Amino acid sequence: VLVTPAPLGGTGMVQKAEELAEKHGWFLARQFETEANADGHKKTTGPEILAAFARQGKKLDYWVTGYGTGGTFAGAGEAIKAG
């Protein structure tokens, strides 16, 4: 587990990941930057949430999510809004 300085927030986390990827030749997913992040949640997470409510015969009134890369919020949110 690596802990980056709290005052740097998410930026510090990304900087450390970039540093380690460069140093070790690791693949860096760049989930903060790629549209595939939100697209994956649009195709999976959002429909899964809607399907779970439909199976129970219930309507989804509100959806609360955490926020990290923004992929879940953007992708699943779009699917739920459209659904």
PDB file of all heavy atoms in Angstrom, residues 57-81:
ATOM      1  N   GLY A  57     -39.838  -5.209  -9.172  1.00  0.00           N
ATOM      2  CA  GLY A  57     -41.040  -4.447  -9.467  1.00  0.00           C
ATOM      3  C   GLY A  57     -41.031  -3.061  -8.835  1.00  0.00           C
ATOM      4  O   GLY A  57     -42.085  -2.505  -8.543  1.00  0.00           O
ATOM      5  N   LYS A  58     -39.843  -2.523  -8.651  1.00  0.00           N
ATOM      6  CA  LYS A  58     -39.714  -1.214  -8.010  1.00  0.00           C
ATOM      7  C   LYS A  58     -39.152  -0.184  -8.966  1.00  0.00           C
ATOM      8  O   LYS A  58     -38.459  -0.522  -9.917  1.00  0.00           O
ATOM      9  CB  LYS A  58     -38.824  -1.318  -6.769  1.00  0.00           C
ATOM     10  CG  LYS A  58     -39.405  -2.211  -5.699  1.00  0.00           C
ATOM     11  CD  LYS A  58     -38.554  -2.227  -4.464  1.00  0.00           C
ATOM     12  CE  LYS A  58     -39.220  -3.105  -3.414  1.00  0.00           C
ATOM     13  NZ  LYS A  58     -38.461  -3.126  -2.179  1.00  0.00           N
ATOM     14  N   LYS A  59     -39.441   1.074  -8.687  1.00  0.00           N
ATOM     15  CA  LYS A  59     -38.949   2.185  -9.476  1.00  0.00           C
ATOM     16  C   LYS A  59     -37.786   2.842  -8.736  1.00  0.00           C
ATOM     17  O   LYS A  59     -37.857   3.041  -7.519  1.00  0.00           O
ATOM     18  CB  LYS A  59     -40.078   3.197  -9.688  1.00  0.00           C
ATOM     19  CG  LYS A  59     -39.673   4.406 -10.478  1.00  0.00           C
ATOM     20  CD  LYS A  59     -40.868   5.359 -10.626  1.00  0.00           C
ATOM     21  CE  LYS A  59     -40.411   6.643 -11.270  1.00  0.00           C
ATOM     22  NZ  LYS A  59     -40.397   7.767 -10.352  1.00  0.00           N
ATOM     23  N   LEU A  60     -36.754   3.158  -9.449  1.00  0.00           N
ATOM     24  CA  LEU A  60     -35.608   3.846  -8.860  1.00  0.00           C
ATOM     25  C   LEU A  60     -35.915   5.343  -8.824  1.00  0.00           C
ATOM     26  O   LEU A  60     -36.114   5.965  -9.861  1.00  0.00           O
ATOM     27  CB  LEU A  60     -34.349   3.575  -9.693  1.00  0.00           C
ATOM     28  CG  LEU A  60     -33.074   4.286  -9.273  1.00  0.00           C
ATOM     29  CD1 LEU A  60     -32.649   3.839  -7.878  1.00  0.00           C
ATOM     30  CD2 LEU A  60     -31.969   4.022 -10.279  1.00  0.00           C
ATOM     31  N   ASP A  61     -35.982   5.896  -7.634  1.00  0.00           N
ATOM     32  CA  ASP A  61     -36.279   7.324  -7.485  1.00  0.00           C
ATOM     33  C   ASP A  61     -35.011   8.162  -7.350  1.00  0.00           C
ATOM     34  O   ASP A  61     -34.934   9.269  -7.863  1.00  0.00           O
ATOM     35  CB  ASP A  61     -37.150   7.558  -6.249  1.00  0.00           C
ATOM     36  CG  ASP A  61     -38.532   6.965  -6.401  1.00  0.00           C
ATOM     37  OD1 ASP A  61     -39.134   7.124  -7.477  1.00  0.00           O
ATOM     38  OD2 ASP A  61     -39.003   6.333  -5.446  1.00  0.00           O
ATOM     39  N   TYR A  62     -34.033   7.646  -6.619  1.00  0.00           N
ATOM     40  CA  TYR A  62     -32.796   8.379  -6.365  1.00  0.00           C
ATOM     41  C   TYR A  62     -31.618   7.422  -6.476  1.00  0.00           C
ATOM     42  O   TYR A  62     -31.743   6.245  -6.179  1.00  0.00           O
ATOM     43  CB  TYR A  62     -32.791   8.986  -4.949  1.00  0.00           C
ATOM     44  CG  TYR A  62     -33.920   9.944  -4.717  1.00  0.00           C
ATOM     45  CD1 TYR A  62     -35.098   9.519  -4.107  1.00  0.00           C
ATOM     46  CD2 TYR A  62     -33.808  11.272  -5.104  1.00  0.00           C
ATOM     47  CE1 TYR A  62     -36.144  10.409  -3.893  1.00  0.00           C
ATOM     48  CE2 TYR A  62     -34.851  12.159  -4.896  1.00  0.00           C
ATOM     49  CZ  TYR A  62     -36.007  11.720  -4.289  1.00  0.00           C
ATOM     50  OH  TYR A  62     -37.028  12.593  -4.080  1.00  0.00           O
ATOM     51  N   TRP A  63     -30.495   7.965  -6.865  1.00  0.00           N
ATOM     52  CA  TRP A  63     -29.275   7.175  -6.944  1.00  0.00           C
ATOM     53  C   TRP A  63     -28.150   7.996  -6.331  1.00  0.00           C
ATOM     54  O   TRP A  63     -27.921   9.143  -6.708  1.00  0.00           O
ATOM     55  CB  TRP A  63     -28.968   6.827  -8.400  1.00  0.00           C
ATOM     56  CG  TRP A  63     -27.687   6.091  -8.599  1.00  0.00           C
ATOM     57  CD1 TRP A  63     -27.326   4.908  -8.029  1.00  0.00           C
ATOM     58  CD2 TRP A  63     -26.592   6.483  -9.423  1.00  0.00           C
ATOM     59  NE1 TRP A  63     -26.079   4.533  -8.451  1.00  0.00           N
ATOM     60  CE2 TRP A  63     -25.604   5.482  -9.322  1.00  0.00           C
ATOM     61  CE3 TRP A  63     -26.348   7.575 -10.242  1.00  0.00           C
ATOM     62  CZ2 TRP A  63     -24.408   5.550  -9.985  1.00  0.00           C
ATOM     63  CZ3 TRP A  63     -25.147   7.633 -10.923  1.00  0.00           C
ATOM     64  CH2 TRP A  63     -24.198   6.626 -10.797  1.00  0.00           C
ATOM     65  N   VAL A  64     -27.479   7.436  -5.359  1.00  0.00           N
ATOM     66  CA  VAL A  64     -26.376   8.110  -4.681  1.00  0.00           C
ATOM     67  C   VAL A  64     -25.120   7.298  -4.943  1.00  0.00           C
ATOM     68  O   VAL A  64     -25.113   6.076  -4.806  1.00  0.00           O
ATOM     69  CB  VAL A  64     -26.637   8.202  -3.157  1.00  0.00           C
ATOM     70  CG1 VAL A  64     -25.459   8.869  -2.454  1.00  0.00           C
ATOM     71  CG2 VAL A  64     -27.934   8.936  -2.888  1.00  0.00           C
ATOM     72  N   THR A  65     -24.060   7.967  -5.333  1.00  0.00           N
ATOM     73  CA  THR A  65     -22.810   7.276  -5.621  1.00  0.00           C
ATOM     74  C   THR A  65     -21.636   8.062  -5.047  1.00  0.00           C
ATOM     75  O   THR A  65     -21.736   9.266  -4.833  1.00  0.00           O
ATOM     76  CB  THR A  65     -22.629   7.088  -7.141  1.00  0.00           C
ATOM     77  OG1 THR A  65     -21.447   6.326  -7.380  1.00  0.00           O
ATOM     78  CG2 THR A  65     -22.518   8.405  -7.878  1.00  0.00           C
ATOM     79  N   GLY A  66     -20.554   7.359  -4.832  1.00  0.00           N
ATOM     80  CA  GLY A  66     -19.311   8.023  -4.461  1.00  0.00           C
ATOM     81  C   GLY A  66     -18.680   8.611  -5.716  1.00  0.00           C
ATOM     82  O   GLY A  66     -19.143   8.370  -6.833  1.00  0.00           O
ATOM     83  N   TYR A  67     -17.647   9.374  -5.538  1.00  0.00           N
ATOM     84  CA  TYR A  67     -16.999   9.991  -6.689  1.00  0.00           C
ATOM     85  C   TYR A  67     -15.500   9.764  -6.612  1.00  0.00           C
ATOM     86  O   TYR A  67     -14.868  10.105  -5.615  1.00  0.00           O
ATOM     87  CB  TYR A  67     -17.297  11.491  -6.738  1.00  0.00           C
ATOM     88  CG  TYR A  67     -16.885  12.127  -8.030  1.00  0.00           C
ATOM     89  CD1 TYR A  67     -17.730  12.111  -9.118  1.00  0.00           C
ATOM     90  CD2 TYR A  67     -15.638  12.702  -8.171  1.00  0.00           C
ATOM     91  CE1 TYR A  67     -17.358  12.680 -10.319  1.00  0.00           C
ATOM     92  CE2 TYR A  67     -15.246  13.273  -9.367  1.00  0.00           C
ATOM     93  CZ  TYR A  67     -16.115  13.267 -10.442  1.00  0.00           C
ATOM     94  OH  TYR A  67     -15.743  13.817 -11.631  1.00  0.00           O
ATOM     95  N   GLY A  68     -14.972   9.127  -7.630  1.00  0.00           N
ATOM     96  CA  GLY A  68     -13.532   8.899  -7.713  1.00  0.00           C
ATOM     97  C   GLY A  68     -13.044   9.419  -9.047  1.00  0.00           C
ATOM     98  O   GLY A  68     -12.785  10.598  -9.219  1.00  0.00           O
ATOM     99  N   THR A  69     -13.025   8.526 -10.020  1.00  0.00           N
ATOM    100  CA  THR A  69     -12.607   8.932 -11.363  1.00  0.00           C
ATOM    101  C   THR A  69     -13.732   9.630 -12.110  1.00  0.00           C
ATOM    102  O   THR A  69     -13.497  10.284 -13.109  1.00  0.00           O
ATOM    103  CB  THR A  69     -12.181   7.712 -12.200  1.00  0.00           C
ATOM    104  OG1 THR A  69     -13.313   6.853 -12.372  1.00  0.00           O
ATOM    105  CG2 THR A  69     -11.033   6.969 -11.561  1.00  0.00           C
ATOM    106  N   GLY A  70     -14.957   9.454 -11.644  1.00  0.00           N
ATOM    107  CA  GLY A  70     -16.109  10.041 -12.329  1.00  0.00           C
ATOM    108  C   GLY A  70     -16.756   9.090 -13.313  1.00  0.00           C
ATOM    109  O   GLY A  70     -17.810   9.374 -13.859  1.00  0.00           O
ATOM    110  N   GLY A  71     -16.123   7.941 -13.543  1.00  0.00           N
ATOM    111  CA  GLY A  71     -16.643   6.990 -14.524  1.00  0.00           C
ATOM    112  C   GLY A  71     -17.988   6.404 -14.148  1.00  0.00           C
ATOM    113  O   GLY A  71     -18.893   6.324 -14.975  1.00  0.00           O
ATOM    114  N   THR A  72     -18.142   6.012 -12.897  1.00  0.00           N
ATOM    115  CA  THR A  72     -19.422   5.454 -12.446  1.00  0.00           C
ATOM    116  C   THR A  72     -20.498   6.517 -12.506  1.00  0.00           C
ATOM    117  O   THR A  72     -21.596   6.292 -13.022  1.00  0.00           O
ATOM    118  CB  THR A  72     -19.310   4.909 -11.008  1.00  0.00           C
ATOM    119  OG1 THR A  72     -18.264   3.957 -10.962  1.00  0.00           O
ATOM    120  CG2 THR A  72     -20.604   4.265 -10.559  1.00  0.00           C
ATOM    121  N   PHE A  73     -20.180   7.698 -11.980  1.00  0.00           N
ATOM    122  CA  PHE A  73     -21.138   8.786 -11.976  1.00  0.00           C
ATOM    123  C   PHE A  73     -21.600   9.138 -13.392  1.00  0.00           C
ATOM    124  O   PHE A  73     -22.809   9.234 -13.651  1.00  0.00           O
ATOM    125  CB  PHE A  73     -20.501  10.018 -11.315  1.00  0.00           C
ATOM    126  CG  PHE A  73     -21.366  11.240 -11.333  1.00  0.00           C
ATOM    127  CD1 PHE A  73     -22.418  11.373 -10.440  1.00  0.00           C
ATOM    128  CD2 PHE A  73     -21.122  12.266 -12.231  1.00  0.00           C
ATOM    129  CE1 PHE A  73     -23.216  12.506 -10.453  1.00  0.00           C
ATOM    130  CE2 PHE A  73     -21.915  13.388 -12.253  1.00  0.00           C
ATOM    131  CZ  PHE A  73     -22.969  13.515 -11.356  1.00  0.00           C
ATOM    132  N   ALA A  74     -20.665   9.309 -14.309  1.00  0.00           N
ATOM    133  CA  ALA A  74     -21.011   9.713 -15.677  1.00  0.00           C
ATOM    134  C   ALA A  74     -21.696   8.579 -16.454  1.00  0.00           C
ATOM    135  O   ALA A  74     -22.744   8.794 -17.066  1.00  0.00           O
ATOM    136  CB  ALA A  74     -19.755  10.169 -16.417  1.00  0.00           C
ATOM    137  N   GLY A  75     -21.094   7.411 -16.434  1.00  0.00           N
ATOM    138  CA  GLY A  75     -21.621   6.315 -17.249  1.00  0.00           C
ATOM    139  C   GLY A  75     -22.905   5.706 -16.729  1.00  0.00           C
ATOM    140  O   GLY A  75     -23.911   5.624 -17.439  1.00  0.00           O
ATOM    141  N   ALA A  76     -22.892   5.288 -15.469  1.00  0.00           N
ATOM    142  CA  ALA A  76     -24.099   4.689 -14.896  1.00  0.00           C
ATOM    143  C   ALA A  76     -25.191   5.743 -14.818  1.00  0.00           C
ATOM    144  O   ALA A  76     -26.361   5.449 -15.072  1.00  0.00           O
ATOM    145  CB  ALA A  76     -23.814   4.111 -13.515  1.00  0.00           C
ATOM    146  N   GLY A  77     -24.823   6.964 -14.469  1.00  0.00           N
ATOM    147  CA  GLY A  77     -25.803   8.043 -14.407  1.00  0.00           C
ATOM    148  C   GLY A  77     -26.506   8.258 -15.731  1.00  0.00           C
ATOM    149  O   GLY A  77     -27.719   8.443 -15.780  1.00  0.00           O
ATOM    150  N   GLU A  78     -25.749   8.212 -16.806  1.00  0.00           N
ATOM    151  CA  GLU A  78     -26.341   8.386 -18.140  1.00  0.00           C
ATOM    152  C   GLU A  78     -27.321   7.249 -18.458  1.00  0.00           C
ATOM    153  O   GLU A  78     -28.403   7.477 -18.975  1.00  0.00           O
ATOM    154  CB  GLU A  78     -25.243   8.453 -19.204  1.00  0.00           C
ATOM    155  CG  GLU A  78     -25.755   8.795 -20.581  1.00  0.00           C
ATOM    156  CD  GLU A  78     -24.652   8.975 -21.601  1.00  0.00           C
ATOM    157  OE1 GLU A  78     -23.484   9.193 -21.212  1.00  0.00           O
ATOM    158  OE2 GLU A  78     -24.958   8.896 -22.800  1.00  0.00           O
ATOM    159  N   ALA A  79     -26.917   6.033 -18.134  1.00  0.00           N
ATOM    160  CA  ALA A  79     -27.789   4.877 -18.399  1.00  0.00           C
ATOM    161  C   ALA A  79     -29.063   4.933 -17.556  1.00  0.00           C
ATOM    162  O   ALA A  79     -30.153   4.659 -18.046  1.00  0.00           O
ATOM    163  CB  ALA A  79     -27.036   3.577 -18.125  1.00  0.00           C
ATOM    164  N   ILE A  80     -28.917   5.311 -16.300  1.00  0.00           N
ATOM    165  CA  ILE A  80     -30.084   5.382 -15.407  1.00  0.00           C
ATOM    166  C   ILE A  80     -31.019   6.479 -15.867  1.00  0.00           C
ATOM    167  O   ILE A  80     -32.231   6.314 -15.897  1.00  0.00           O
ATOM    168  CB  ILE A  80     -29.623   5.591 -13.944  1.00  0.00           C
ATOM    169  CG1 ILE A  80     -28.947   4.302 -13.435  1.00  0.00           C
ATOM    170  CG2 ILE A  80     -30.780   5.998 -13.049  1.00  0.00           C
ATOM    171  CD1 ILE A  80     -28.217   4.479 -12.124  1.00  0.00           C
ATOM    172  N   LYS A  81     -30.449   7.601 -16.245  1.00  0.00           N
ATOM    173  CA  LYS A  81     -31.268   8.722 -16.720  1.00  0.00           C
ATOM    174  C   LYS A  81     -32.054   8.341 -17.980  1.00  0.00           C
ATOM    175  O   LYS A  81     -33.223   8.675 -18.122  1.00  0.00           O
ATOM    176  CB  LYS A  81     -30.351   9.908 -17.009  1.00  0.00           C
ATOM    177  CG  LYS A  81     -30.999  11.247 -16.953  1.00  0.00           C
ATOM    178  CD  LYS A  81     -29.925  12.313 -16.837  1.00  0.00           C
ATOM    179  CE  LYS A  81     -30.041  13.301 -17.955  1.00  0.00           C
ATOM    180  NZ  LYS A  81     -29.066  14.377 -17.878  1.00  0.00           N
TER     181      LYS A  81
END
